[in-house]
Amino acid sequence: PTMTYSCAYFTNGNTDDLEAAQIAKVHHILQKLDPKPGKTLLDIGCGWGTLMLTAAKEYGLKVTGVTLSQEQFDLVNKKIKDMGLEDQAEVLLEDYRELGNRNFDYVTSVGMFEHVGSENLGEYFKDVAKYLKPHGVALIHGITRQQGGAYNGWINKYIFPGGYVPGLNENLTHIIESGMQVADIEMLRRHYQRTLEMWTDNFHKVLPEVRKMHDERFIRMWD
């Protein structure tokens, strides 16, 4: 229902349903920030707005979301109005690198750095640092590898054009060079495994609906 398309967070082993696990992930991220009402949050790559609007409604933060998707921008704007959060939330349809001199107490970014490409990764983390106020806190959630970074030709062609999964050491080097300090690293490997299993189950439960929109080649590709 939230259309969240990144790793969920299962608080009760594998017994959570997917919606509960996605909401739990949002709260897990926000609670790690130790957020204080009235402070400001920037969500880079805000998706369909669940994290930023939860931060505004339930944690009392003043939030700004950034997306390059017109569809996401339109839906998040509608949600802001429907929830009566016009004084607390805004969404911008622009490149995260072009926010000027704005600063925030908190920065979140979920499932974003895998899409900027290896050549832009250092700039991405420098921008995160630039948008933080002194003593600000960022939480960056994404896919990485223990080994060096990797492209996957098949995934690049069909799933994430321009995608690049950086090595853990690569991210840490960029974070350190940006002037930020690492306070916490948490691996969610099993959580993503369970998320993928549930996505696959949900996909196959509605194959008749999928076949009305796509052919068998798409179904094989998605599997």
Side-chain angles (χ1 to χ4, degrees), residues 43-59:
D43 190 21
I44 298 174
C46 65
W48 303 102
T50 303
L51 188 150
M52 60 174 282
L53 297 177
T54 301
K57 184 178 180 182
E58 299 188 36
Y59 293 83

Side-chain angles (χ1 to χ4, degrees), residues 16-212:
D16 290 338
D17 65 34
L18 187 58
E19 181 181 7
Q22 291 291 10
I23 296 298
K25 185 264 297 291
V26 166
H27 287 291
H28 188 56
I29 288 171
L30 292 171
Q31 287 164 10
K32 279 197 172 194
L33 298 174
D34 190 22
K36 301 294 187 289
K39 293 205 168 187
T40 55
L41 178 142
L42 169 67
D43 190 21
I44 298 174
C46 65
W48 303 102
T50 303
L51 188 150
M52 60 174 282
L53 297 177
T54 301
K57 184 178 180 182
E58 299 188 36
Y59 293 83
L61 300 181
K62 295 183 178 179
V63 300
T64 299
V66 181
T67 179
L68 288 175
S69 162
Q70 183 71 53
E71 292 86 356
Q72 290 178 346
F73 173 79
D74 292 342
L75 184 68
V76 175
N77 258 326
K78 182 179 184 303
K79 285 182 176 180
I80 289 171
K81 292 183 177 69
D82 290 347
M83 297 169 73
L85 293 173
E86 291 94 334
D87 293 337
Q88 266 183 270
E90 65 173 348
V91 59
L92 307 176
L93 184 66
E94 60 184 270
D95 193 303
Y96 73 93
R97 294 169 291 190
E98 297 173 359
L99 297 180
N101 296 319
R102 296 185 64 175
N103 296 112
F104 301 84
D105 298 294
Y106 313 108
V107 174
T108 53
S109 187
V110 178
M112 172 72 183
F113 68 63
E114 312 94 310
H115 301 283
V116 302
S118 63
E119 68 279 5
N120 298 314
L121 201 58
E123 182 183 5
Y124 168 83
F125 283 108
K126 284 177 182 173
D127 281 331
V128 171
K130 178 179 73 174
Y131 295 135
L132 280 175
K133 292 180 180 178
H135 309 295
V137 179
L139 192 146
I140 311 300
H141 169 109
I143 303 170
T144 186
R145 292 160 45 90
Q146 297 279 14
Q147 307 87 349
Y151 297 94
N152 181 296
W154 191 90
I155 288 177
N156 261 347
K157 181 173 181 179
Y158 293 104
I159 310 296
F160 295 134
Y164 172 73
V165 176
L168 186 60
N169 60 334
E170 211 175 340
N171 280 345
L172 288 172
T173 297
H174 288 310
I175 290 167
I176 292 164
E177 288 178 349
S178 76
M180 294 187 287
Q181 296 195 21
V182 178
D184 176 60
I185 299 177
E186 181 179 5
M187 303 305 176
L188 301 177
R189 185 174 298 185
R190 295 300 185 194
H191 294 269
Y192 219 151
Q193 174 186 330
R194 183 65 183 137
T195 304
L196 290 165
E197 289 168 351
M198 296 181 87
W199 283 343
T200 301
D201 289 344
N202 289 343
F203 180 73
H204 281 271
K205 283 175 185 172
V206 295
L207 273 183
E209 296 300 312
V210 174
R211 287 193 171 101
K212 292 176 184 176

